[in-house]
């Protein structure tokens, strides 16, 4: 399945609605000669960058086993759906493989490079599948008309490899024995499966609720890496299953996972709380390249990142506005193919394939923005900082270190006595003062039944109680508990802890903000 650009970008889409033009298999397509470009600033691992395609949506370019060709999917304005092509890695010459009927996706060369594997809906009809309903937010469609097929490199000899009801797609190939890992809904959830190159001996690899897809083998096929969602039990899992029942998934939160090739010892690699996808193994290291919108609050900018398979060593690889995705190393590890919006003309949304020479050792120089932030966070979060608790040596050390960092960054001090430090009181403990009491309806409650809050003050007050639900005023969410309650003026507002369990407060940010007791006290005061 083609992974998609999210939240406001022109989307790379699997779904179409018009009848594709009929094209003879393996027909040649005119393609301009590759164009040499300079990598962007900070892209130290890339050299001799070449743009290989120049119009339409071109993505998921995967190397042949001899490193001379790429398989890819192409969609131009005159095509209804994505079609499978082969590309000469030197000249950029394109030859169509799929028939132009139905939708196709995720093509991979089988060992020997004489045949390709891809997913297609053509047996369900010539037309493209209907576009998914975006009224439920940004979703991917898992068309149950997708099956896996093998075809000769010239497009002839199309042979089905799967026939089980449900979605079968997102397949890649082991370079050692030609076995196939793919994604399927045949057992009710979106899981990974492995089968022999002829479609026999199918076995399931994953079983945790949530989406599992886009898996790839490492070079010796001892491990796989893939993208996955892990909705929490409760509303998130219920929503996931409700969408899946309609053949849809929501891809806004995906993390990378790694396991042995039989699915054992699965472990999560990234914890970026972002849309991370399209992992590709480094040819000689236990390391992954992948695409993610990590670091962009709006979720619109995707770049390539690298991370060790144990989750350490996160490194940003590309620095290009828009979309960079689908990285894959050539078999000898000297080149990297990927798809990008870079060099796209203003006002256009084309996605094109690029090939760069891969430089393993980035040159020494000024650390990048991500490197500096990572180093600062690592120092402040180290065990030696003792959690930076009030009164600890770790906090004092952190204050001095921050002052030095501010000075090194050229900031001007605005604290006490011309320094970067500013003293202020902090409540570190609470105790009930002599005579403190809470009386409700004339009954004094035991001191074990209540506690003052850290932002309380010394005062004596009395009044009627006014229950105001969760005590939330959030006009931007259409919520005002005080509008429905009696006036609290002159009364003591009683509020519930936390936030309601509905869609408006499902995000962690809203739960933290509107569930905070200081916020509730402030809202009551206002």
């Amino acid at each position: 399945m083609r992974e998609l650009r999210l939240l406001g970008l022109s989307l790379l889409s699997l779904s179409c609605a018009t009848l594709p033009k009929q094209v003879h298999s393996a027909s040649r397509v005119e393609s301009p000669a590759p164009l040499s470009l300079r990598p962007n600033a900070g892209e130290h691992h890339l050299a001799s960058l070449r743009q290989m395609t120049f119009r339409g949506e071109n993505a998921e370019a995967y190397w042949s086993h001899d490193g001379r060709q790429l398989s890819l999917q192409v969609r131009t304005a005159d095509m209804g759906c994505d079609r499978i092509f082969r590309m000469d890695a030197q000249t950029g010459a394109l030859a169509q493989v799929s028939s132009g009927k139905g939708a196709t996706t995720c093509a991979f060369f089988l060992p020997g490079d004489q045949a390709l594997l891809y997913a297609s809906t053509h047996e369900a009809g010539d037309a493209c599948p209907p576009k998914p309903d975006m009224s439920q937010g940004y979703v991917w469609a898992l068309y149950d008309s997708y099956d896996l097929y093998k075809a000769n490199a010239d497009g002839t000899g199309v042979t089905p490899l799967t026939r089980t009801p449900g979605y079968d797609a997102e397949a890649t190939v082991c370079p050692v024995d030609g076995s196939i890992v793919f994604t399927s809904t045949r057992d009710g959830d979106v899981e990974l499966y492995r089968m022999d190159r002829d479609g026999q001996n199918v076995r399931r690899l994953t079983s945790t609720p949530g989406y599992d897809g886009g898996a790839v083998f490492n070079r010796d096929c001892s491990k796989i890496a893939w993208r996955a969602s892990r909705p929490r039990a409760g509303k998130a899992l219920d929503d996931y299953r409700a969408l899946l029942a309609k053949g849809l998934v929501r891809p806004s939160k995906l993390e990378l996972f790694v396991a042995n090739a039989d699915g054992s010892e699965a472990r999560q690699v990234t914890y970026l709380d972002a849309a991370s996808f399209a992992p590709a193994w480094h040819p000689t290291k236990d390391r992954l390249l992948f695409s993610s919108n990590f670091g962009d609050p709006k979720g619109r900018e995707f770049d390539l990142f690298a991370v060790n398979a144990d989750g350490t060593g996160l490194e940003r690889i590309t620095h290009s506005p828009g979309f960079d995705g689908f990285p894959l190393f050539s078999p000898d590890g000297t080149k990297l193919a990927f798809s990008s919006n870079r060099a796209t003309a203003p006002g256009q949304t084309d996605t094109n394939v690029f090939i760069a020479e891969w430089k393993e050792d980035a040159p020494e120089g000024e650390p990048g923005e991500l490197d500096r932030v990572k180093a600062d966070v690592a120092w402040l979060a180290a065990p030696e900082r003792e959690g930076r608790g009030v009164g600890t040596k770790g906090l004092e050390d952190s204050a001095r270190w921050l002052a030095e960092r501010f000075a090194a960054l050229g900031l001007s001090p605005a604290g006490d006595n011309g320094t970067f430090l500013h003293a202020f009181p902090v409540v570190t403990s609470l105790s009930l003062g002599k005579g403190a009491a809470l009386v409700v309806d004339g009954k004094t409650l035991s001191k074990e039944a209540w506690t003052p809050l850290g932002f309380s003050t010394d005062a004596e007050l009395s009044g009627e109680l006014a229950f105001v639900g969760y005590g939330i005023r959030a006009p931007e969410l259409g919520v005002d508990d005080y509008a429905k309650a009696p006036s609290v003026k002159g009364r003591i507002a009683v509020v519930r802890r936390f936030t309601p369990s509905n869609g408006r407060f499902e995000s962690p940010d809203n739960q933290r903000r509107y569930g905070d007791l200081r916020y509730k006290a402030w809202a009551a005061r206002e």
Side-chain angles (χ1 to χ4, degrees):
M1 170 192 257
R2 175 176 291 183
E3 295 88 347
L4 313 179
R5 284 173 284 161
L6 308 180
L7 302 177
L9 291 178
S10 171
L11 301 181
L12 295 169
S13 175
L14 277 173
S15 56
C16 310
T18 58
L19 184 66
K21 188 186 297 183
Q22 301 304 303
V23 179
H24 179 67
S25 295
S27 59
R28 291 281 169 177
V29 177
E30 291 187 11
S31 181
L35 176 66
S36 295
L37 301 170
R38 291 176 61 88
N40 292 332
E43 295 180 339
H44 305 303
H45 287 290
L46 307 183
S48 302
L49 183 65
R50 294 184 298 147
Q51 182 175 349
M52 306 301 294
T53 62
F54 295 88
R55 69 187 182 101
E57 302 293 349
N58 307 272
E60 296 202 61
Y62 300 136
W63 292 93
S64 61
H65 297 272
D66 64 7
R68 296 179 181 178
Q69 302 180 78
L70 294 160
S71 62
L72 70 156
Q73 54 198 58
V74 176
R75 187 176 78 250
T76 57
D78 59 340
M79 300 177 184
C81 305
D82 295 328
R83 300 177 184 175
I84 302 303
F85 281 74
R86 291 181 293 114
M87 174 194 287
D88 187 297
Q90 287 299 318
T91 67
L94 289 168
Q96 186 170 326
V97 177
S98 63
S99 66
K101 298 178 180 180
T104 55
T105 184
C106 298
F108 239 85
F109 283 94
L110 290 163
D113 299 330
Q114 300 303 305
L116 287 93
L117 166 77
Y118 60 88
S120 177
T121 67
H122 68 272
E123 287 196 275
D126 292 357
C128 302
K131 294 181 179 181
D133 179 9
M134 294 296 180
S135 66
Q136 301 173 87
Y138 182 64
V139 292
W140 287 347
L142 304 178
Y143 299 114
D144 59 11
S145 52
Y146 265 118
D147 274 302
L148 297 176
Y149 297 84
K150 179 179 71 173
N152 296 327
D154 64 359
T156 63
V158 179
T159 304
L161 296 181
T162 61
R163 279 285 192 248
T164 304
Y167 171 83
D168 290 326
E170 305 177 46
T172 59
V173 176
C174 165
V176 176
D177 61 9
S179 61
I180 298 163
V181 62
F182 65 101
T183 299
S184 178
T185 59
R186 59 184 61 198
D187 291 322
D189 199 5
V190 191
E191 304 289 1
L192 297 181
Y193 295 79
R194 186 175 179 176
M195 64 183 178
D196 298 342
R197 62 184 297 166
D198 60 0
Q200 301 301 307
N201 194 26
V202 178
R203 55 270 196 201
R204 182 171 170 176
L205 304 182
T206 58
S207 58
T208 304
Y211 168 86
D212 293 275
V216 290
F217 291 98
N218 63 351
R219 289 302 300 169
D220 66 5
C221 300
S222 62
K223 297 179 181 179
I224 56 172
W226 72 97
R227 65 190 180 210
S229 69
R230 291 292 181 259
R232 294 181 178 179
K235 186 177 185 304
L237 184 57
D238 292 343
D239 289 347
Y240 164 79
R241 286 171 170 162
L243 279 176
L244 184 59
K246 302 175 183 178
L248 303 170
V249 291
R250 197 182 312 280
S252 56
K253 299 293 183 184
L254 297 171
E255 302 289 357
L256 300 189
F257 285 71
V258 167
N260 295 330
D262 62 0
S264 64
E265 299 183 15
R267 62 186 184 278
Q268 186 170 339
V269 175
T270 62
Y271 293 84
L272 301 181
D273 193 35
S276 300
F277 64 96
W281 289 93
H282 190 284
T284 61
K285 295 183 177 182
D286 207 21
R287 189 164 171 80
L288 298 166
L289 259 66
F290 64 100
S291 183
S292 179
N293 58 358
F294 169 64
D296 178 18
K298 295 183 179 180
R300 297 175 179 174
E301 298 291 335
F302 283 81
D303 276 291
L304 299 184
F305 291 81
V307 67
N308 293 329
D310 63 1
T312 63
L314 182 68
E315 178 186 11
R316 184 172 172 179
I317 303 299
T318 62
H319 297 261
S320 178
F323 177 82
D324 287 323
F326 313 113
L328 194 69
F329 285 101
S330 61
D332 63 5
T334 63
K335 297 179 179 64
L336 183 74
F338 63 99
S339 299
S340 177
N341 298 144
R342 65 182 65 205
T344 299
Q348 300 297 313
T349 59
D350 292 353
T351 302
N352 287 300
V353 174
F354 294 78
I355 297 177
E357 291 185 11
W358 177 259
K359 299 298 182 183
E360 186 58 45
D361 297 320
E364 294 292 334
E366 191 70 21
E369 174 184 326
L370 187 62
D371 299 317
R372 289 196 299 269
V373 172
K374 184 171 69 172
D376 288 351
V377 171
W379 195 94
L380 290 168
E384 292 80 5
R385 307 295 92 77
E386 304 174 279
R388 302 188 304 281
V390 175
T392 65
K393 182 177 182 299
L395 181 62
E396 295 175 1
D397 292 344
S398 297
R400 286 192 295 269
W401 183 85
L402 285 169
E404 293 172 359
R405 289 289 289 123
F406 289 170
L409 291 170
L411 303 180
S412 299
D416 299 337
N417 302 317
T419 70
F420 288 103
L421 304 179
H422 174 69
F424 59 94
V426 176
V427 175
T428 59
S429 64
L430 295 173
S431 61
L432 291 176
K434 185 178 181 180
L438 177 62
V439 181
V440 178
D441 282 344
K443 180 181 179 181
T444 301
L445 302 186
S446 70
K447 293 186 177 182
E448 288 73 28
W450 62 285
T451 185
L453 297 174
F455 51 86
S456 300
T457 187
D458 292 329
E460 182 175 334
L461 59 89
S462 63
E464 294 181 352
L465 304 182
F467 179 64
V468 289
Y470 286 92
I472 295 174
R473 297 191 70 185
E476 67 278 12
L477 300 179
V479 176
D480 187 349
D481 290 335
Y482 286 88
K484 301 177 291 185
S487 172
V488 296
K489 185 175 181 62
R491 296 183 172 90
I492 298 171
V494 178
V495 302
R496 295 184 61 175
R497 292 288 307 275
F498 311 117
T499 59
S501 56
N502 59 45
R504 296 172 182 174
F505 298 96
E506 65 181 4
S507 77
D509 286 345
N510 283 346
Q511 291 171 9
R512 283 190 293 267
R513 178 180 180 185
Y514 297 109
D516 180 68
L517 289 175
R518 286 178 176 80
Y519 162 80
K520 293 175 183 285
W522 175 86
R525 181 196 67 186
E526 293 300 299

